[in-house]
Amino acid sequence: MVEGRVLGLPERSYPTLKVAIEYIQQGKPELAASLVWNLYTEGSLQRKLDGAATDQFPFRMPFIKFSKFADRKTIDFVYSFTDDNVIPADMMSDIYIIQNKDALIFSPVSFKTESYNIIDKRAKNFNQISSTYPNINLYLFYLETIEFSQYNPLNKHFINADFGRSYEYFQSRISDKIILKNLSLENLDDHLSNFFRTDHHWNIHGILKGYNKIYEMLSKNYPDIPEKFSPSSLVTFPNIKFLGTLARRTLYPIEGDIFTGFEGKLPKCKVSDQGVEGDYDYRDEYHKGRIPSEPYSRHYGQYFGSQDGLLEYDCETETNRNILIIGNSYIRPLVPIIASHYDRTYFLDLRQDKSFSLSHFFIEHSVDDILIGGNADVFFWDEDLWEIKP
Protein backbone atom coordinates (compact mmCIF):
# COMPACT_ATOMS: atom_id res chain seq x y z
CA MET A 1 0.00 0.00 0.00
CA VAL A 2 2.79 2.41 0.92
CA GLU A 3 5.05 1.60 -2.01
CA GLY A 4 2.31 1.05 -4.58
CA ARG A 5 3.81 -2.31 -5.49
CA VAL A 6 1.97 -5.28 -6.99
CA LEU A 7 2.00 -8.58 -5.14
CA GLY A 8 2.86 -11.46 -7.47
CA LEU A 9 1.20 -14.77 -6.61
CA PRO A 10 3.39 -17.82 -7.42
CA GLU A 11 1.44 -20.18 -9.65
CA ARG A 12 2.75 -23.32 -7.93
CA SER A 13 1.01 -22.27 -4.72
CA TYR A 14 -2.36 -21.99 -6.46
CA PRO A 15 -3.12 -25.22 -8.37
CA THR A 16 -6.80 -24.78 -7.53
CA LEU A 17 -6.87 -21.38 -9.20
CA LYS A 18 -5.18 -22.86 -12.25
CA VAL A 19 -7.88 -25.55 -12.45
CA ALA A 20 -10.56 -22.88 -12.04
CA ILE A 21 -9.14 -20.93 -14.99
CA GLU A 22 -9.17 -24.11 -17.09
CA TYR A 23 -12.85 -24.62 -16.17
CA ILE A 24 -13.61 -21.08 -17.37
CA GLN A 25 -11.79 -21.77 -20.65
CA GLN A 26 -13.91 -24.91 -21.05
CA GLY A 27 -17.11 -22.91 -20.57
CA LYS A 28 -17.83 -24.20 -17.06
CA PRO A 29 -17.88 -21.02 -14.94
CA GLU A 30 -20.12 -22.59 -12.25
CA LEU A 31 -17.45 -25.21 -11.46
CA ALA A 32 -14.75 -22.50 -11.36
CA ALA A 33 -16.83 -20.38 -8.98
CA SER A 34 -17.40 -23.35 -6.69
CA LEU A 35 -13.66 -24.11 -6.50
CA VAL A 36 -12.68 -20.53 -5.72
CA TRP A 37 -15.47 -20.15 -3.17
CA ASN A 38 -14.34 -23.29 -1.32
CA LEU A 39 -10.75 -22.06 -1.41
CA TYR A 40 -11.82 -18.78 0.15
CA THR A 41 -14.19 -20.10 2.83
CA GLU A 42 -11.74 -22.71 4.13
CA GLY A 43 -9.08 -20.00 4.62
CA SER A 44 -6.52 -21.51 2.24
CA LEU A 45 -6.45 -18.49 -0.06
CA GLN A 46 -5.88 -16.09 2.84
CA ARG A 47 -3.05 -18.19 4.30
CA LYS A 48 -1.27 -18.47 0.95
CA LEU A 49 -1.73 -14.78 0.22
CA ASP A 50 -0.28 -13.92 3.63
CA GLY A 51 2.62 -16.29 3.01
CA ALA A 52 3.33 -14.79 -0.41
CA ALA A 53 3.34 -11.30 1.06
CA THR A 54 5.74 -12.36 3.80
CA ASP A 55 8.04 -14.03 1.26
CA GLN A 56 8.12 -11.06 -1.11
CA PHE A 57 8.06 -8.22 1.40
CA PRO A 58 9.96 -9.48 4.47
CA PHE A 59 10.57 -6.75 7.04
CA ARG A 60 9.68 -4.07 4.49
CA MET A 61 7.53 -1.94 6.78
CA PRO A 62 10.10 -1.77 9.61
CA PHE A 63 12.73 -0.68 7.08
CA ILE A 64 10.38 1.88 5.53
CA LYS A 65 9.52 3.31 8.96
CA PHE A 66 13.19 3.42 9.93
CA SER A 67 14.04 5.19 6.65
CA LYS A 68 11.34 7.80 7.26
CA PHE A 69 12.57 8.24 10.84
CA ALA A 70 16.12 8.85 9.56
CA ASP A 71 14.73 11.34 7.02
CA ARG A 72 12.99 13.30 9.75
CA LYS A 73 16.04 13.38 12.02
CA THR A 74 18.18 14.71 9.17
CA ILE A 75 15.56 17.34 8.29
CA ASP A 76 15.17 18.35 11.94
CA PHE A 77 18.93 18.81 12.27
CA VAL A 78 19.26 20.93 9.13
CA TYR A 79 16.29 23.12 10.01
CA SER A 80 17.37 23.49 13.64
CA PHE A 81 19.64 26.30 12.41
CA THR A 82 16.63 28.23 11.04
CA ASP A 83 13.42 29.60 12.49
CA ASP A 84 11.30 27.96 9.77
CA ASN A 85 8.01 26.62 11.04
CA VAL A 86 7.12 24.83 7.78
CA ILE A 87 9.61 22.08 6.93
CA PRO A 88 9.67 18.97 4.68
CA ALA A 89 7.77 16.00 6.03
CA ASP A 90 10.22 13.62 4.35
CA MET A 91 12.94 13.59 1.69
CA MET A 92 10.92 11.98 -1.08
CA SER A 93 7.79 14.08 -1.59
CA ASP A 94 6.60 17.66 -2.03
CA ILE A 95 4.71 17.48 1.27
CA TYR A 96 5.55 19.78 4.19
CA ILE A 97 4.52 19.90 7.83
CA ILE A 98 3.30 23.13 9.47
CA GLN A 99 4.74 22.35 12.87
CA ASN A 100 2.74 24.72 15.05
CA LYS A 101 -0.52 23.70 13.30
CA ASP A 102 0.23 19.97 13.10
CA ALA A 103 -0.90 19.99 9.46
CA LEU A 104 0.56 18.50 6.30
CA ILE A 105 0.35 20.51 3.05
CA PHE A 106 1.58 20.37 -0.52
CA SER A 107 4.24 22.84 -1.64
CA PRO A 108 3.14 25.56 -4.11
CA VAL A 109 2.88 24.61 -7.77
CA SER A 110 4.82 26.66 -10.29
CA PHE A 111 3.20 29.09 -12.69
CA LYS A 112 5.28 28.97 -15.88
CA THR A 113 5.15 30.48 -19.35
CA GLU A 114 3.58 27.31 -20.75
CA SER A 115 0.81 27.61 -18.15
CA TYR A 116 -0.82 30.26 -20.32
CA ASN A 117 -1.04 27.84 -23.25
CA ILE A 118 -2.52 25.07 -21.13
CA ILE A 119 -5.12 27.40 -19.63
CA ASP A 120 -6.00 28.80 -23.05
CA LYS A 121 -6.56 25.26 -24.33
CA ARG A 122 -8.77 24.28 -21.41
CA ALA A 123 -10.79 27.52 -21.49
CA LYS A 124 -11.31 27.04 -25.24
CA ASN A 125 -12.70 23.57 -24.50
CA PHE A 126 -15.29 24.93 -22.05
CA ASN A 127 -16.24 27.76 -24.40
CA GLN A 128 -16.70 25.25 -27.21
CA ILE A 129 -19.07 23.18 -25.09
CA SER A 130 -21.09 26.28 -24.27
CA SER A 131 -21.42 27.31 -27.92
CA THR A 132 -22.13 23.74 -29.12
CA TYR A 133 -24.99 23.26 -26.65
CA PRO A 134 -26.50 26.73 -26.16
CA ASN A 135 -29.75 25.34 -24.73
CA ILE A 136 -27.98 23.62 -21.84
CA ASN A 137 -26.80 25.68 -18.86
CA LEU A 138 -23.08 25.24 -18.24
CA TYR A 139 -21.77 25.82 -14.72
CA LEU A 140 -18.15 25.67 -13.56
CA PHE A 141 -17.27 25.40 -9.86
CA TYR A 142 -13.60 25.78 -8.95
CA LEU A 143 -12.27 24.76 -5.54
CA GLU A 144 -9.06 26.54 -4.60
CA THR A 145 -6.55 24.34 -2.78
CA ILE A 146 -3.51 25.46 -0.81
CA GLU A 147 -0.93 24.67 -3.51
CA PHE A 148 -2.60 27.20 -5.84
CA SER A 149 -3.36 29.76 -3.18
CA GLN A 150 -1.70 33.04 -2.33
CA TYR A 151 -1.88 31.92 1.31
CA ASN A 152 0.45 28.95 1.03
CA PRO A 153 3.05 29.69 3.75
CA LEU A 154 5.82 28.44 1.43
CA ASN A 155 5.13 30.92 -1.39
CA LYS A 156 7.99 33.17 -0.32
CA HIS A 157 10.47 30.33 -0.88
CA PHE A 158 9.18 29.41 -4.38
CA ILE A 159 9.97 32.11 -6.94
CA ASN A 160 7.38 30.88 -9.46
CA ALA A 161 4.65 29.99 -6.95
CA ASP A 162 1.24 30.08 -8.59
CA PHE A 163 -0.13 32.51 -6.00
CA GLY A 164 -3.63 32.30 -7.50
CA ARG A 165 -2.48 33.43 -10.96
CA SER A 166 -3.73 30.32 -12.82
CA TYR A 167 -7.34 30.81 -11.77
CA GLU A 168 -7.17 34.56 -12.32
CA TYR A 169 -6.05 34.02 -15.91
CA PHE A 170 -8.51 31.14 -16.45
CA GLN A 171 -11.35 33.35 -15.27
CA SER A 172 -10.43 36.00 -17.85
CA ARG A 173 -10.57 33.44 -20.70
CA ILE A 174 -14.03 32.00 -19.97
CA SER A 175 -17.05 33.10 -22.02
CA ASP A 176 -19.59 35.26 -20.19
CA LYS A 177 -22.22 32.74 -21.29
CA ILE A 178 -20.77 30.31 -18.72
CA ILE A 179 -21.55 30.71 -15.03
CA LEU A 180 -18.29 30.38 -13.12
CA LYS A 181 -18.05 30.35 -9.32
CA ASN A 182 -15.31 29.44 -6.90
CA LEU A 183 -14.65 28.70 -3.26
CA SER A 184 -11.41 30.51 -2.55
CA LEU A 185 -9.23 30.56 0.55
CA GLU A 186 -9.26 33.75 2.57
CA ASN A 187 -6.20 32.88 4.67
CA LEU A 188 -4.28 29.87 5.98
CA ASP A 189 -6.78 29.33 8.80
CA ASP A 190 -9.47 29.03 6.13
CA HIS A 191 -7.56 26.08 4.66
CA LEU A 192 -7.14 24.49 8.09
CA SER A 193 -10.88 24.85 8.74
CA ASN A 194 -12.11 23.52 5.40
CA PHE A 195 -9.58 20.78 4.66
CA PHE A 196 -8.17 17.79 6.50
CA ARG A 197 -4.73 18.18 8.10
CA THR A 198 -3.57 14.74 6.90
CA ASP A 199 -5.34 14.58 3.55
CA HIS A 200 -5.68 16.80 0.47
CA HIS A 201 -9.49 16.63 0.41
CA TRP A 202 -11.92 19.07 1.99
CA ASN A 203 -13.79 18.13 5.14
CA ILE A 204 -17.52 18.38 5.86
CA HIS A 205 -17.27 22.11 6.64
CA GLY A 206 -15.68 22.88 3.29
CA ILE A 207 -18.06 20.52 1.50
CA LEU A 208 -21.14 22.28 2.87
CA LYS A 209 -19.69 25.71 2.01
CA GLY A 210 -19.13 24.44 -1.53
CA TYR A 211 -22.69 23.13 -1.73
CA ASN A 212 -24.10 26.52 -0.73
CA LYS A 213 -22.10 28.17 -3.52
CA ILE A 214 -23.25 25.60 -6.07
CA TYR A 215 -26.89 25.85 -4.99
CA GLU A 216 -26.75 29.61 -5.46
CA MET A 217 -25.21 29.11 -8.89
CA LEU A 218 -27.77 26.53 -10.06
CA SER A 219 -30.63 28.75 -8.84
CA LYS A 220 -29.82 31.40 -11.45
CA ASN A 221 -31.42 29.38 -14.28
CA TYR A 222 -33.61 27.13 -12.12
CA PRO A 223 -36.20 29.42 -10.48
CA ASP A 224 -38.29 26.63 -8.94
CA ILE A 225 -35.34 24.63 -7.60
CA PRO A 226 -36.36 22.62 -4.50
CA GLU A 227 -35.44 24.04 -1.13
CA LYS A 228 -31.78 23.99 -0.21
CA PHE A 229 -30.64 20.93 1.74
CA SER A 230 -29.70 21.54 5.33
CA PRO A 231 -28.22 18.70 7.39
CA SER A 232 -30.15 17.87 10.55
CA SER A 233 -26.90 17.23 12.36
CA LEU A 234 -23.18 16.76 11.89
CA VAL A 235 -21.90 13.43 13.19
CA THR A 236 -18.32 13.04 14.43
CA PHE A 237 -17.06 9.47 14.61
CA PRO A 238 -15.06 9.18 17.86
CA ASN A 239 -13.28 5.97 16.82
CA ILE A 240 -11.84 7.44 13.63
CA LYS A 241 -8.43 9.12 13.62
CA PHE A 242 -8.26 9.76 9.91
CA LEU A 243 -4.78 9.50 8.37
CA GLY A 244 -5.22 10.53 4.76
CA THR A 245 -3.11 10.63 1.61
CA LEU A 246 -0.53 13.09 2.94
CA ALA A 247 0.03 11.06 6.11
CA ARG A 248 0.13 7.79 4.18
CA ARG A 249 2.68 9.06 1.66
CA THR A 250 5.04 10.46 4.30
CA LEU A 251 4.33 8.19 7.29
CA TYR A 252 4.75 11.36 9.32
CA PRO A 253 3.88 10.76 13.02
CA ILE A 254 0.86 13.02 13.19
CA GLU A 255 -2.38 12.85 15.15
CA GLY A 256 -5.22 11.64 12.94
CA ASP A 257 -7.97 13.99 11.78
CA ILE A 258 -11.39 14.21 13.33
CA PHE A 259 -13.78 12.70 10.77
CA THR A 260 -17.27 14.19 10.61
CA GLY A 261 -20.22 13.23 8.44
CA PHE A 262 -23.79 14.44 8.21
CA GLU A 263 -27.37 13.33 8.67
CA GLY A 264 -30.36 14.80 6.92
CA LYS A 265 -33.44 13.99 4.91
CA LEU A 266 -32.74 13.33 1.24
CA PRO A 267 -35.26 12.00 -1.28
CA LYS A 268 -35.35 8.30 -2.03
CA CYS A 269 -33.16 7.52 -5.05
CA LYS A 270 -32.23 4.48 -7.09
CA VAL A 271 -28.47 4.62 -7.60
CA SER A 272 -26.67 2.69 -10.31
CA ASP A 273 -23.12 2.52 -11.64
CA GLN A 274 -22.97 1.67 -15.32
CA GLY A 275 -26.51 0.34 -15.03
CA VAL A 276 -25.86 -1.84 -11.96
CA GLU A 277 -28.05 -0.76 -9.05
CA GLY A 278 -26.45 -0.67 -5.61
CA ASP A 279 -25.09 1.42 -2.75
CA TYR A 280 -22.15 3.51 -3.89
CA ASP A 281 -21.41 5.26 -0.66
CA TYR A 282 -21.18 3.82 2.84
CA ARG A 283 -22.66 6.63 4.92
CA ASP A 284 -25.34 4.37 6.36
CA GLU A 285 -22.75 1.72 7.25
CA TYR A 286 -20.64 4.27 9.09
CA HIS A 287 -23.66 5.60 10.98
CA LYS A 288 -24.48 2.04 12.06
CA GLY A 289 -20.95 1.67 13.46
CA ARG A 290 -19.57 -0.58 10.72
CA ILE A 291 -16.36 1.36 10.19
CA PRO A 292 -12.99 0.09 8.83
CA SER A 293 -10.40 0.14 11.59
CA GLU A 294 -7.19 -0.47 9.61
CA PRO A 295 -4.53 2.28 9.75
CA TYR A 296 -4.67 4.63 6.76
CA SER A 297 -8.20 3.49 5.84
CA ARG A 298 -9.57 5.65 3.03
CA HIS A 299 -12.48 7.02 5.04
CA TYR A 300 -13.12 9.96 2.68
CA GLY A 301 -13.73 7.74 -0.35
CA GLN A 302 -15.60 5.07 1.58
CA TYR A 303 -17.93 7.42 3.46
CA PHE A 304 -18.70 9.83 0.62
CA GLY A 305 -18.69 7.23 -2.11
CA SER A 306 -16.98 6.06 -5.27
CA GLN A 307 -17.87 4.43 -8.58
CA ASP A 308 -16.28 2.81 -11.62
CA GLY A 309 -18.10 4.58 -14.42
CA LEU A 310 -21.24 6.61 -15.09
CA LEU A 311 -23.12 7.00 -11.81
CA GLU A 312 -26.87 7.67 -12.07
CA TYR A 313 -29.33 8.88 -9.44
CA ASP A 314 -33.03 8.39 -10.24
CA CYS A 315 -34.76 10.32 -7.44
CA GLU A 316 -38.35 10.66 -6.26
CA THR A 317 -38.60 14.43 -6.65
CA GLU A 318 -41.30 16.71 -8.02
CA THR A 319 -39.26 17.90 -10.97
CA ASN A 320 -38.43 16.58 -14.40
CA ARG A 321 -35.13 18.43 -14.61
CA ASN A 322 -31.87 16.48 -15.17
CA ILE A 323 -28.21 17.34 -14.59
CA LEU A 324 -24.83 15.97 -15.68
CA ILE A 325 -21.99 16.47 -13.18
CA ILE A 326 -18.40 16.00 -14.29
CA GLY A 327 -15.62 16.18 -11.71
CA ASN A 328 -13.19 14.37 -9.47
CA SER A 329 -13.21 13.18 -5.87
CA TYR A 330 -13.63 16.72 -4.55
CA ILE A 331 -17.10 17.02 -6.08
CA ARG A 332 -18.16 13.42 -5.33
CA PRO A 333 -19.54 14.09 -1.78
CA LEU A 334 -21.93 16.68 -3.25
CA VAL A 335 -23.49 14.37 -5.86
CA PRO A 336 -26.26 12.86 -3.65
CA ILE A 337 -27.10 16.31 -2.26
CA ILE A 338 -27.30 17.95 -5.69
CA ALA A 339 -29.32 14.95 -6.87
CA SER A 340 -32.02 15.91 -4.35
CA HIS A 341 -32.90 18.85 -6.65
CA TYR A 342 -33.27 16.82 -9.85
CA ASP A 343 -35.19 13.93 -11.35
CA ARG A 344 -32.07 12.29 -12.77
CA THR A 345 -28.49 13.11 -11.91
CA TYR A 346 -25.52 11.71 -13.80
CA PHE A 347 -21.98 11.86 -12.41
CA LEU A 348 -18.79 11.05 -14.26
CA ASP A 349 -15.12 11.15 -13.28
CA LEU A 350 -13.24 11.36 -16.59
CA ARG A 351 -10.35 9.40 -15.12
CA GLN A 352 -12.67 6.38 -15.34
CA ASP A 353 -13.87 6.94 -18.90
CA LYS A 354 -11.28 8.51 -21.18
CA SER A 355 -13.45 7.94 -24.27
CA PHE A 356 -16.43 9.95 -22.98
CA SER A 357 -18.00 12.49 -25.32
CA LEU A 358 -21.04 14.69 -24.78
CA SER A 359 -22.48 13.95 -28.22
CA HIS A 360 -22.52 10.21 -27.51
CA PHE A 361 -23.91 10.77 -24.03
CA PHE A 362 -26.77 12.91 -25.34
CA ILE A 363 -27.92 10.14 -27.70
CA GLU A 364 -29.47 8.32 -24.73
CA HIS A 365 -29.60 11.01 -22.03
CA SER A 366 -31.23 14.40 -21.85
CA VAL A 367 -30.07 17.06 -19.39
CA ASP A 368 -30.92 20.69 -18.68
CA ASP A 369 -27.75 21.55 -16.76
CA ILE A 370 -24.08 20.60 -16.86
CA LEU A 371 -21.99 21.19 -13.74
CA ILE A 372 -18.23 20.73 -13.92
CA GLY A 373 -16.51 20.93 -10.55
CA GLY A 374 -13.31 20.17 -8.71
CA ASN A 375 -9.86 21.50 -8.03
CA ALA A 376 -7.24 22.84 -10.44
CA ASP A 377 -6.71 19.42 -12.08
CA VAL A 378 -10.20 19.58 -13.55
CA PHE A 379 -9.88 23.10 -14.95
CA PHE A 380 -6.35 24.08 -15.88
CA TRP A 381 -3.63 21.95 -14.34
CA ASP A 382 -4.09 18.74 -16.33
CA GLU A 383 -3.72 19.46 -20.02
CA ASP A 384 -5.38 16.43 -21.62
CA LEU A 385 -7.11 14.09 -19.15
CA TRP A 386 -9.91 16.50 -18.25
CA GLU A 387 -10.52 17.87 -21.74
CA ILE A 388 -14.16 17.07 -22.57
CA LYS A 389 -14.97 15.86 -26.06
CA PRO A 390 -18.02 17.81 -27.30
Side-chain angles (χ1 to χ4, degrees), residues 327-339:
N328 57 10
S329 55
Y330 285 97
I331 207 72
R332 178 64 178 89
L334 293 174
V335 175
I337 302 177
I338 295 172

Side-chain angles (χ1 to χ4, degrees), residues 215-323:
Y215 182 86
E216 176 187 341
M217 184 167 57
L218 296 175
S219 300
K220 292 185 180 298
N221 294 306
Y222 189 176
D224 55 346
I225 186 171
E227 185 178 353
K228 183 164 62 174
F229 170 77
S230 181
S232 58
S233 64
L234 298 183
V235 181
T236 297
F237 300 97
N239 295 331
I240 297 180
K241 297 297 182 183
F242 178 42
L243 294 168
T245 302
L246 305 182
R248 185 170 60 249
R249 282 178 53 181
T250 61
L251 293 183
Y252 194 87
I254 187 172
E255 181 73 15
D257 273 296
I258 294 171
F259 192 86
T260 302
F262 70 93
E263 289 186 330
K265 187 175 181 180
L266 292 169
K268 185 177 180 181
C269 302
K270 292 181 181 178
V271 186
S272 59
D273 181 1
Q274 301 179 90
V276 179
E277 190 173 333
D279 294 323
Y280 293 98
D281 65 55
Y282 297 97
R283 286 195 307 112
D284 290 342
E285 298 295 308
Y286 272 63
H287 289 287
K288 292 175 183 176
R290 294 194 279 268
I291 302 171
S293 58
E294 295 81 5
Y296 302 105
S297 291
R298 300 173 186 268
H299 294 294
Y300 179 90
Q302 291 170 309
Y303 182 84
F304 291 113
S306 61
Q307 69 292 318
D308 294 319
L310 182 66
L311 191 70
E312 179 179 350
Y313 281 72
D314 181 3
C315 296
E316 295 180 2
T317 58
E318 297 179 358
T319 177
N320 58 3
R321 199 176 182 100
N322 302 329
I323 187 172

Side-chain angles (χ1 to χ4, degrees), residues 22-53:
E22 290 175 355
Y23 275 138
I24 292 174
Q25 292 172 340
Q26 296 168 12
K28 302 175 181 177
E30 67 284 351
L31 294 178
S34 176
L35 275 178
V36 174
W37 179 251
N38 291 337
L39 186 66
Y40 181 81
T41 55
E42 69 184 16
S44 173
L45 179 63
Q46 294 91 317
R47 289 191 296 273
K48 289 179 179 179
L49 181 64
D50 184 61

Side-chain angles (χ1 to χ4, degrees), residues 144-161:
E144 183 180 65
T145 53
I146 193 66
E147 58 269 31
F148 285 88
S149 170
Q150 61 178 305
Y151 300 109
N152 192 309
L154 292 165
N155 280 342
K156 60 185 177 182
H157 301 297
F158 288 74
I159 297 174
N160 295 318

Side-chain angles (χ1 to χ4, degrees), residues 114-123 380-383:
E114 54 264 33
S115 299
Y116 289 107
N117 296 329
I118 296 173
I119 295 171
D120 282 338
K121 180 181 178 182
R122 297 302 317 284
F380 47 73
W381 187 238
D382 190 290
E383 184 172 4

Side-chain angles (χ1 to χ4, degrees), residues 21-117:
I21 292 172
E22 290 175 355
Y23 275 138
I24 292 174
Q25 292 172 340
Q26 296 168 12
K28 302 175 181 177
E30 67 284 351
L31 294 178
S34 176
L35 275 178
V36 174
W37 179 251
N38 291 337
L39 186 66
Y40 181 81
T41 55
E42 69 184 16
S44 173
L45 179 63
Q46 294 91 317
R47 289 191 296 273
K48 289 179 179 179
L49 181 64
D50 184 61
T54 303
D55 291 342
Q56 295 177 48
F57 299 88
F59 308 113
R60 303 252 346 144
M61 281 310 300
F63 280 127
I64 291 171
K65 290 179 178 179
F66 177 78
S67 174
K68 295 291 187 182
F69 172 80
D71 275 4
R72 292 193 298 272
K73 289 302 179 184
T74 302
I75 292 167
D76 288 345
F77 173 74
V78 172
Y79 279 84
S80 67
F81 299 99
T82 75
D83 58 357
D84 288 346
N85 179 52
V86 186
I87 66 174
D90 65 3
M91 297 245 195
M92 302 296 293
S93 68
D94 58 348
I95 299 170
Y96 288 71
I97 176 74
I98 307 177
Q99 296 181 98
N100 65 344
K101 301 291 186 181
D102 204 26
L104 295 163
I105 61 169
F106 281 119
S107 62
V109 299
S110 296
F111 186 89
K112 303 175 182 178
T113 303
E114 54 264 33
S115 299
Y116 289 107
N117 296 329

